[in-house]
C-alpha cells in the first residue's frame, strides 16, 4: 500500500491531522471500562493487515513530519540523543534491525543492499541515499543509533543488560511523555521507574523486568501505555515544560474536543544480537477526542476509564486538573450501554 504522507506540524500552529484510515487503525488501549497498571505484555509477531502491529516498525502518514520535528528538537537540544561509549555496538545492532526490517516490510519505501560490510541504504520518503561500511562510524554522518533514529518514528531507549538488570545507557528521545533521557541516562530499570505511583508496590516492575531479561533474539514483545496531551504535541519533555505545561490551562468546554488528545504509546522490546543489549522503541500515536468519539464504543469506554482512573494515576499522567472538563465532554458520548471486551 502506498502511504500518502501528511505535511503537518506538532508545534506552533498544530496542523497535525489524522485521516479516516489513521483513526480506524488507532491503537485504542482499553480492553475494559476501567484501567490499572499491569504487566500487559505480549509477543510482537505481527498483527492484522493494516493494523499498527502488522510490521516490526510501523510507518504511517505522519512519518515525514515526525522526522522533521525530531530534527528541530535535536537542533535545539543535542542532549536528547546520547550514547555512552560502550553502547556503540548496540547502536549498530539497532541500525541493522531497523534497516533490515524496514526494507523487508516496506520494499517500496526502503531498500538495503549489502555486499559484505559495504551497505547501501535508500530511504525514499526522506530522499536519503547512503553508502557506508557497516561497523565503521566514520562512513556515516552521525553515530549509528542517531543515524537510524533520525529516520524512524518513535523514541528509542537502548539498554545494556548486566547484573540481572537493564541500564538506560543510550537513546534518542524527542517525543516523550514527560521524562528525560538526560536525567535517566545511566539509571537501571527500578531507578528510572521510581516516579511511577502504585506500580512498584503491586510488583509490576519486578515481574516486568524478569520478562524482559528473558526476551530472546527474534522474539520481540510489546505493550501499550497511554496518557493525555493538550494539543498534538510530540515533544512533551521536562526540558520544554515551560512551553507546553501552560497549554494545559487553555482547555475550555468549547475547545476540549479539538484540543485534548489521547496519547498512546506502542512500546516494543527487541533483543540485540551482538551486544546482547535491548532496544525499547516507544512509538507515540495521537488522537483528538473529537476524532476518537467517531467510534462510539471508544467514546463510551474512554468516558468511564477517565472518570474512574485512580487519582494517583490522573495526577502522574498530568490531567487531574482537566479531568472534570474531559469527563463532562465525554459523558455526552456515553449512553450507558455495555461495552464488549477487547474494543
Ligand atoms: C513509565 C521507561 C519497560 C511500565 C516509564 C518511564 C520511563 C520508562 C522513562 C517514565 C518514568 C518517569 O515518570 O520519569 C521504560 C523502559 C522500559 C520500560 C526504557 C524498557 C526496558 C516497562 C515495562 C513495563 C513498564 C515492561 C510493564 C509494566 C511502566 C509504567 C509507567 C512507566 C506503568 C507509568 C506510565 C504512565 O502512567 O503513563 N517507563 N519502561 N515499563 N513504565 Fe516503563
Amino acid at each position: 500500500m502506498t502511504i500518502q504522507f501528511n505535511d503537518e506540524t506538532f508545534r506552533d500552529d498544530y496542523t497535525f491531522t489524522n485521516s479516516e484510515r489513521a483513526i480506524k487503525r488507532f491503537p485504542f488501549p482499553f480492553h475494559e471500562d476501567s484501567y490499572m497498571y499491569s504487566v500487559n505484555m505480549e509477543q510482537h509477531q505481527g498483527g492484522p493487515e493494516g493494523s499498527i502491529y502488522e510490521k516490526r516498525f510501523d510507518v504511517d502518514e505522519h512519518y515525514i513530519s515526525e522526522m522533521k520535528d525530531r530534527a528541530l528538537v535535536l537542533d535545539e537540544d543535542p542532549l536528547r540523543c546520547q550514547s555512552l561509549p560502550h553502547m556503540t555496538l548496540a547502536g549498530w545492532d539497532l541500525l541493522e534491525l531497523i534497516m533490515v526490517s524496514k526494507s523487508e516490510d516496506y520494499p517500496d519505501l526502503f531498500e538495503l543492499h549489502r555486499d559484505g560490510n559495504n551497505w547501501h541504504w535508500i530511504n525514499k520518503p526522506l530522499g536519503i541515499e547512503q553508502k557506508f561500511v557497516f561497523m565503521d562510524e566514520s562512513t556515516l554522518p552521525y553515530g549509528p543509533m542517531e543515524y537510524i533514529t533520525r529516520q524512524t518514528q518513535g523514541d528509542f531507549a537502548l539498554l545494556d543488560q548486566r547484573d540481572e538488570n537493564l541500564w538506560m545507557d543510550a537513546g534518542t528521545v524527542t517525543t516523550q511523555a514527560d521524562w528525560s533521557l538526560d536525567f535517566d541516562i545511566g539509571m537501571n530499570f527500578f531507578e528510572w521507574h521510581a516516579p511511577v505511583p502504585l506500580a512498584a508496590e503491586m510488583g509490576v516492575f519486578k515481574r516486568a523486568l524478569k520478562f524482559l531479561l528473558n526476551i530472546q533474539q527474534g522474539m520481540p514483545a510489546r505493550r501499550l501505555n497511554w496518557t493525555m496531551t493538550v494539543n498534538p504535541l510530540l515533544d512533551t519533555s521536562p526540558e520544554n515544560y515551560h512551553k507546553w505545561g501552560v497549554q494545559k490551562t487553555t482547555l475550555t468546554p468549547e475547545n476540549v474536543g479539538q484540543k485534548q488528545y489521547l496519547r498512546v504509546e506502542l512500546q516494543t522490546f527487541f533483543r540485540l544480537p551482538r551486544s546482547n543489549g535491548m532496544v525499547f522503541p516507544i512509538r507515540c500515536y495521537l488522537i483528538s477526542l473529537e476524532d476518537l468519539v467517531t467510534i462510539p464504543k471508544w467514546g463510551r469506554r474512554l468516558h468511564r476509564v477517565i472518570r474512574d482512573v485512580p487519582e494517583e494515576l490522573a495526577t502522574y499522567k498530568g490531567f487531574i486538573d482537566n479531568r472534570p472538563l474531559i469527563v463532562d465532554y465525554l459523558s455526552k458520548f456515553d449512553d450507558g450501554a455495555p461495552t464488549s471486551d477487547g474494543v
Side-chain angles (χ1 to χ4, degrees), residues 110-266:
F110 305 97
E111 289 177 27
L112 178 64
H113 305 281
R114 287 182 283 183
D115 176 11
N117 276 347
N118 293 313
W119 291 24
H120 182 189
W121 166 246
I122 301 172
N123 177 336
K124 293 182 192 165
L126 295 184
I128 293 172
E129 221 188 307
Q130 180 79 42
K131 290 186 173 156
F132 64 100
V133 179
F134 185 67
M135 297 285 223
D136 180 351
E137 260 190 274
S138 68
T139 59
L140 282 177
Y142 306 100
M145 178 192 72
E146 179 165 0
Y147 181 75
I148 199 58
T149 56
R150 279 177 177 268
Q151 300 179 46
T152 310
Q153 287 165 279
D155 283 339
F156 290 82
L158 210 48
L159 310 153
D160 195 30
Q161 182 164 325
R162 56 181 193 272
D163 306 332
E164 292 295 294
N165 213 326
L166 292 169
W167 303 81
M168 201 186 293
D169 286 346
T172 300
V173 178
T174 64
T175 68
Q176 70 268 48
D178 206 5
W179 65 277
S180 163
L181 173 71
D182 191 42
F183 185 75
D184 286 359
I185 191 117
M187 287 190 187
N188 71 35
F189 192 80
F190 297 113
E191 289 169 343
W192 76 65
H193 278 122
V196 180
L198 306 181
E201 299 92 289
M202 292 165 61
V204 164
F205 293 129
K206 258 195 177 151
R207 276 177 286 138
L209 178 62
K210 201 168 173 193
F211 184 100
L212 292 179
L213 292 178
N214 286 310
I215 286 180
Q216 305 294 313
Q217 208 186 316
M219 297 293 290
R222 68 183 175 221
R223 68 184 286 264
L224 294 177
N225 186 42
W226 66 278
T227 188
M228 305 292 279
T229 304
V230 173
N231 289 323
L233 265 159
L234 282 180
D235 176 18
T236 50
S237 57
E239 286 88 345
N240 277 333
Y241 187 79
H242 58 288
K243 292 186 192 159
W244 61 269
V246 64
Q247 296 179 31
K248 294 201 271 182
T249 64
T250 62
L251 275 196
T252 64
E254 291 71 39
N255 68 22
V256 57
Q258 298 116 55
K259 277 175 87 100
Q260 180 64 61
Y261 282 72
L262 173 65
R263 179 187 196 101
V264 175
E265 295 174 347
L266 170 62

Side-chain angles (χ1 to χ4, degrees), residues 253 303 325 327-335:
H303 169 240
L325 260 176
V327 170
D328 199 39
Y329 173 82
L330 288 172
S331 67
K332 300 186 192 84
F333 302 93
D334 186 356
D335 56 7

Side-chain angles (χ1 to χ4, degrees), residues 30 32-37 197-198 225-228 301-320 323-324 326-327:
F30 305 110
E32 54 189 359
D33 286 350
S34 60
Y35 177 81
M36 191 18 133
Y37 294 142
L198 306 181
N225 186 42
W226 66 278
T227 188
M228 305 292 279
R301 179 158 281 177
L302 188 67
H303 169 240
R304 299 169 195 180
V305 169
I306 298 293
R307 182 191 62 199
D308 300 339
V309 81
E311 200 164 313
E312 292 92 332
L313 270 68
T315 304
Y316 173 74
K317 289 173 186 285
F319 64 88
I320 188 82
R323 169 148 72 175
I326 298 168
V327 170

